[in-house]
Amino acid sequence: MYLPALPPSLGRRSLLDTPTPLDQSSFRLDTSGVSGFFGGDEAIHAMATVHIYRARRWLGWYNTPGSYQIAKRYGLVARSTLFHGLFPGVRTDPARLFELDGWQGPRFQAVNSGTLMYSTGHSASILAKECVSVEGKPIHGREGTVVGVTIVKLHKVPDKIVYPKRILAYSPFLAIIPIFSSLAACVACGVYRDWFSFSLILWGILSNGISCLVIGSGSLCFTHHIPAAGSPPGDGVLTPGKDFILLQGEEGAVNSVTLGKFSLEFPSNHYFVAQLFLIPQGSLFGQIMFIASLGVSWVYNMCLSAFDRESIQRRILLNEVLEKPLVTKYTLTTRTAAAVFALLVLSPEDPCNLLNALLPNDTKVWRKWKESILQRLLLQEELHFEEADWNLEGYSQQEKDLLRSLYGDAQAAYNGFRSVPLGPPDGSNPTLALATEPKELPKE
């Protein structure tokens, strides 16, 4: 934004003759640019913490930089014709504006209902990132690309609407520093009767404090769809990238992950931007006091924005909404082994659809391998293989080698499934649980 310089005839005119420090200096600062544009990103991120940090809404009484950037960003949610004219753009949902919702989650395949979602919502995206950060327990097999399989047992169906508690992520006493600095600068300008700078700093304190109060008055809430009574279990697989996330629980619990949504309920507000035009009228001393208060506030805003809000929202989802589900992760050495491991854990009634969804390969060798795996799963047989299983007529040596490798992956997944303290789901595949000790493929 270009702000033309005022002619000398319209320069600052003090109502009193009290001299101020640096009053004889002809040097002037571009305080309008500093106050309006400097530190805008940090101020926006700091303002966005009012819904997740406890007591944050009450601690905004300091003069903050970035007034233009804040007004431009928050003007997109204000129901005001004035703001629509000043800051044109696509209106957005408040939760999306504060980055509390709106992310696209991974694909989801249900194992019982057959539901297929090509993309899920914000909650699934948060959970997927949490699962990526979990350290996995290795299940050994042939060398390949490591694939993580995370098992998330959802033991609680959240209420249709949940209002999570705000997190105490830092000491509220830290806010005393910018508040005291802004008040001290304001008092100093008042002592030397620089009323322009005094009023602008005070205006900045009030506007930021009131904005935090108004924006922070909104409530962060989580909503999801409650399924019909008698719905089958919602077990299924999220596929973020190359990894698998196995969701186990009631349909309502799984829906809270795949279809859950965060939203904000708060009144619209207007942010004051008049400091951009009035602060150049202050004395050099007042301008320095103004910038000093902004500098301290900028450092404080940087501290607030340095906190990982994404990880805090993960804590809110896992602890407050889902009530601490059991999360266990294993790492397997190939995607084939990971797919078989997922089938063993979920134990679907019809494993064919899930196997094809996880491994869409459709060649002669893959079809034969899938047929053998599905047959053994349906008959609840062990996944142990001998040379006769891959040394078949009508297959080239290269195809036999590939088939042997795939059977080795399946057997490694089965051995891993048998060795970890997991076991099959209740009431399914009892033969697998009573099978003999894990074996290795026979040597050539």
Side-chain angles (χ1 to χ4, degrees):
M1 177 184 292
Y2 172 72
L3 299 175
L6 294 174
S9 60
L10 296 179
R12 179 183 61 86
R13 296 180 180 178
S14 177
L15 298 178
L16 297 175
D17 295 330
T18 304
T20 64
L22 304 176
D23 196 39
Q24 301 302 318
S25 175
S26 60
F27 181 74
R28 287 293 180 268
L29 296 172
D30 182 16
T31 49
S32 61
V34 173
S35 64
F37 302 96
F38 170 74
D41 291 337
E42 291 81 5
I44 289 173
H45 286 124
M47 183 69 75
T49 63
V50 295
H51 303 105
I52 58 178
Y53 293 162
R54 192 182 306 169
R56 172 69 179 91
R57 64 172 296 208
W58 307 104
L59 302 175
W61 303 102
Y62 57 89
N63 188 26
T64 186
S67 57
Y68 174 77
Q69 296 293 339
I70 295 175
K72 181 179 179 180
R73 184 77 174 268
Y74 295 164
L76 295 177
V77 296
R79 297 173 182 173
S80 166
T81 304
L82 173 63
F83 269 78
H84 287 195
L86 290 175
F87 308 112
V90 179
R91 304 298 106 179
T92 185
D93 178 78
R96 291 175 179 263
L97 178 71
F98 292 105
E99 298 180 359
L100 296 172
D101 199 80
W103 295 347
Q104 182 173 315
R107 170 178 168 149
F108 175 74
Q109 172 79 49
V111 300
N112 294 312
S113 64
T115 301
L116 174 62
M117 301 180 186
Y118 289 99
S119 64
T120 49
H122 190 87
S123 301
S125 177
I126 293 177
L127 181 62
K129 293 182 179 181
E130 175 67 21
C131 292
V132 169
S133 65
V134 174
E135 184 176 354
K137 303 174 183 178
I139 294 177
H140 301 290
R142 71 181 173 97
E143 185 176 352
T145 303
V146 176
V147 179
V149 178
T150 307
I151 304 170
V152 181
K153 295 189 176 182
L154 304 167
H155 57 81
K156 177 71 165 59
V157 179
D159 295 335
K160 185 176 182 179
I161 302 178
V162 179
Y163 293 93
K165 298 178 182 178
R166 304 188 188 196
I167 302 297
L168 184 61
Y170 69 99
S171 175
F173 293 105
L174 185 63
I176 294 177
I177 299 175
I179 293 175
F180 175 80
S181 299
S182 296
L183 292 177
C186 190
V187 171
C189 291
V191 169
Y192 288 101
R193 302 180 187 276
D194 185 346
W195 302 115
F196 278 105
S197 299
F198 171 88
S199 62
L200 264 297
I201 295 175
L202 181 61
W203 196 339
I205 294 172
L206 294 176
S207 61
N208 189 57
I210 293 173
S211 295
C212 286
L213 283 177
V214 173
I215 296 177
S217 64
S219 299
L220 176 64
C221 63
F222 178 88
T223 57
H224 73 103
H225 171 67
I226 300 295
S231 298
D235 297 5
V237 184
L238 291 169
T239 53
K242 61 183 180 64
D243 290 350
F244 300 146
I245 300 174
L246 313 183
L247 303 181
Q248 292 184 302
E250 297 182 32
E251 181 77 10
V254 175
N255 280 349
S256 67
V257 174
T258 57
L259 300 174
K261 178 181 177 61
F262 283 96
S263 59
L264 290 174
E265 302 173 356
F266 65 88
S268 60
N269 70 290
H270 302 284
Y271 193 87
F272 302 100
V273 295
Q275 348 175 272
L276 294 177
F277 306 100
L278 296 182
I279 189 58
Q281 303 305 300
S283 67
L284 179 59
F285 173 76
Q287 294 175 34
I288 291 176
M289 290 295 98
F290 182 82
I291 292 180
S293 66
L294 293 183
V296 175
S297 301
W298 173 68
V299 173
Y300 175 67
N301 288 340
M302 283 192 63
C303 292
L304 289 180
S305 60
F307 289 104
D308 190 351
R309 289 187 294 123
E310 180 183 314
S311 65
I312 292 176
Q313 193 175 13
R314 291 184 207 168
R315 288 167 53 189
I316 292 175
L317 176 66
L318 293 173
N319 298 341
E320 301 291 332
V321 177
L322 301 179
E323 297 190 13
K324 301 180 180 180
L326 179 61
V327 178
T328 310
K329 183 176 181 179
Y330 301 95
T331 55
L332 295 98
T333 55
T334 65
R335 186 176 181 87
T336 308
V340 174
F341 188 82
L343 287 173
L344 292 170
V345 173
L346 294 173
S347 187
E349 293 182 1
D350 182 10
C352 181
N353 290 334
L354 182 59
L355 182 59
N356 287 328
L358 300 180
L359 297 173
N361 310 64
D362 189 24
T363 65
K364 176 183 177 182
V365 173
W366 279 97
R367 287 193 295 269
K368 176 59 180 177
W369 177 82
K370 289 181 180 181
E371 178 185 346
S372 300
I373 298 299
L374 292 173
Q375 181 180 10
R376 297 196 180 207
L377 289 176
L378 292 173
L379 296 177
Q380 300 181 353
E381 296 178 352
E382 301 175 1
L383 299 185
H384 289 161
F385 302 93
E386 304 293 340
E387 183 178 356
D389 292 310
W390 65 80
N391 193 10
L392 304 173
E393 294 185 5
Y395 288 78
S396 66
Q397 186 59 45
Q398 184 179 7
E399 291 173 331
K400 292 178 182 179
D401 292 340
L402 175 58
L403 194 56
R404 184 180 189 277
S405 297
L406 296 179
Y407 282 134
D409 292 338
Q411 188 160 317
Y414 176 74
N415 292 342
F417 176 75
R418 292 275 290 112
S419 63
V420 298
L422 176 66
D426 294 340
S428 62
N429 282 6
T431 303
L432 292 179
L434 300 175
T436 58
E437 292 300 316
K439 299 179 181 180
E440 300 295 335
L441 284 181
K443 303 291 185 181
E444 289 186 337

